[in-house]
Amino acid sequence: MTAKEHVAEYSAVLGELLREREKLLGTLDRVAALHGTARLIRETVGAKAGFVAELDRPELAVIRWMSGTRTDALQDLEVPVGQGIGGRVLALGQPVRVADYVSSPAITHQFDAQVRGEGLAAMLAVPIVARGETVAIAYAAMREPADFGDDAVRRMVEVAREAGTALHLAKVAETDRTAAVAGERLRMQSALHDSVGALLFSIGVQVRDLHADLHEVPGLEARLRRLEGDVSAAAGALRESLLALSESSPERALPVELAEHCRSFQARCGVPARFVQLAAVPPLDAERTALLVAAVREGLLNVEKHARASSVIVSLLPSDDGVQVVVADDGTGAEAVPGSGMGLRTLAERAARLGGRVSLVRDEDDGSTLRAWVPLVRP
């Protein structure tokens, strides 16, 4: 075989692999899977129309994906359990077929107007099941009275089975994508903190040093004041961006995020940082979770800037009908002033709006301790 023939063969194999990849990616997307199911129903069963209703909740399905329809009479139609052919499938958990929808005594007739509007007659509906639960309903329809035989039911059930598998894969893929997005947000937050945040801090220090050295230069004092104000404003904008990037969903485990921040701090500074969860804590909403994460991040930032610490311990525990985080270091830096610093003031204001509190105190045996507490949400 010549080199040219080898290239042609490998190109054909690569093309087939790419096509298979596209098919696989299609199954990992819920919307694509359901659109594909509606089309596959027509091809597999030989129906004039195929459509799929997805469950919004256990007792209600909504028709959203259609193939072969002529109108939008069925689009976004809500189908409660027990009503029509789809509602009967929800109630029974098994296939239902009728030779003529509007005249069948086997179903209720709340949707006769929509079915007439689309010009449908014979209909077959089966449940789409994923992990043992009905998650959607697949419909096949003809435009004249007819009997869907056992072979049609068997093929329809097979289509529904494949759709259930695709929806399960899509859910797993969506979970993975959500975790990946959360990880990327955390990476971006850390990168901004380490680069832009450190640069702004350095500029601020240099500006303050200039204040001490150049009081005698006419006009320079006012310019330094303006520059210091600009740096402070930029730091505030950066802080808000970091807070937005680190916003957590209630489902994301708070201990995981705190442990991640400890690992990041230790890798960045070389100072041992240990996370300890002293007891199980109840779940919090997104706002309270974000506040506690921001408090730990601010505490670690203060240690990095001022403490000259040799170790840090971050604790998480239930406290006073709420949840508390504690950042304690053994540093020997300048004495901390409770509530000082823009970051701490911002945290304290956010905590107060939630009925919580934030404090920073100097310990008697050197080191400092930052505490942030939020109350539980009551129904």
Side-chain angles (χ1 to χ4, degrees):
M1 182 179 293
T2 67
K4 186 175 181 179
E5 289 171 333
H6 273 298
V7 170
E9 181 182 353
Y10 293 151
S11 177
V13 172
L14 178 59
E16 183 60 30
L17 287 174
L18 289 174
R19 284 189 290 274
E20 290 300 321
R21 172 184 174 275
E22 291 304 317
K23 290 180 183 178
L24 178 59
L25 289 177
T27 68
L28 297 180
D29 184 274
R30 180 180 60 85
V31 174
L34 291 170
H35 268 302
T37 298
R39 292 192 299 269
L40 189 60
I41 288 170
R42 295 179 63 201
E43 297 170 3
T44 303
V45 183
K48 296 300 182 181
F51 39 100
V52 178
E54 190 175 16
L55 266 67
D56 269 12
R57 51 183 185 270
E59 69 280 1
L60 180 71
V62 181
I63 297 174
R64 293 198 175 99
W65 293 274
M66 298 180 290
S67 176
T69 53
R70 298 171 178 171
T71 72
D72 60 358
L74 301 176
Q75 185 67 53
D76 297 326
L77 182 65
E78 295 186 351
V79 182
V81 63
Q83 295 186 10
I85 190 171
R88 186 165 174 79
V89 168
L90 280 181
L92 299 177
Q94 62 187 36
V96 176
R97 49 187 163 176
V98 294
D100 183 27
Y101 187 98
V102 298
S103 64
S104 173
I107 59 173
T108 64
H109 292 278
Q110 288 86 350
F111 311 117
D112 283 3
Q114 290 88 343
V115 172
R116 285 195 184 99
E118 179 54 38
L120 301 178
M123 201 173 295
L124 166 64
V126 304
I128 296 176
V129 178
R131 307 291 287 183
E133 295 184 359
T134 297
V135 294
I137 305 167
Y139 296 81
M142 306 296 285
R143 298 194 179 279
E144 62 281 330
D147 289 320
F148 280 104
D150 292 342
D151 187 57
V153 174
R154 179 188 58 77
R155 292 197 301 270
M156 189 74 163
V157 168
E158 180 61 22
V159 170
R161 186 190 65 78
E162 293 179 2
T165 300
L167 288 175
H168 172 63
L169 290 174
K171 184 176 182 180
V172 172
E174 181 62 29
T175 300
D176 290 344
R177 284 193 292 269
T178 300
V181 168
E184 179 64 11
R185 286 161 64 94
L186 186 60
R187 185 197 66 76
M188 291 171 61
Q189 182 271 335
S190 180
L192 283 172
H193 170 277
D194 295 347
S195 58
V196 181
L199 178 61
L200 287 172
F201 175 70
S202 175
I203 293 172
V205 170
Q206 294 177 61
V207 169
R208 285 191 291 273
D209 288 344
L210 285 172
H211 273 304
D213 298 338
L214 300 175
H215 281 299
E216 305 303 323
V217 180
L220 186 57
E221 178 72 16
R223 293 171 62 187
L224 286 176
R225 290 292 183 192
R226 286 197 299 272
L227 179 58
E228 190 172 16
D230 290 344
V231 170
S232 178
L238 175 64
R239 188 180 304 277
E240 290 302 315
S241 297
L242 296 181
L243 291 174
L245 281 170
S246 65
E247 286 292 337
S248 304
S249 68
E251 293 78 14
R252 180 167 170 78
L254 178 59
V256 173
E257 290 214 39
L258 300 186
E260 286 176 352
H261 281 292
C262 287
R263 285 193 294 270
S264 176
F265 170 87
Q266 182 168 316
R268 186 171 65 249
C269 304
V271 176
R274 186 159 60 98
F275 170 69
V276 179
Q277 183 171 355
L278 300 177
V281 296
L284 299 171
D285 63 13
E287 193 171 12
R288 285 166 171 77
T289 298
L291 176 71
L292 294 182
V293 172
V296 168
R297 189 174 57 249
E298 181 67 26
L300 292 174
L301 181 62
N302 284 338
V303 174
E304 181 179 351
K305 290 179 179 178
H306 309 299
R308 297 194 294 275
S310 59
S311 67
V312 183
I313 295 179
V314 175
S315 305
L316 172 67
L317 65 155
S319 173
D320 298 332
D321 204 26
V323 176
Q324 178 175 255
V325 293
V326 180
V327 181
D329 69 79
D330 60 357
T332 57
E335 183 173 355
V337 179
S340 64
M342 180 175 61
L344 288 173
R345 288 197 298 273
T346 301
L347 279 173
E349 291 169 1
R350 290 175 62 192
R353 288 195 295 269
L354 297 172
R357 55 183 178 267
V358 174
S359 65
L360 175 63
V361 297
R362 181 75 177 166
D363 299 332
E364 293 182 0
D365 54 350
D366 286 336
S368 59
T369 301
L370 182 146
R371 289 183 173 85
W373 174 86
V374 292
L376 298 179
V377 181
R378 291 303 176 194

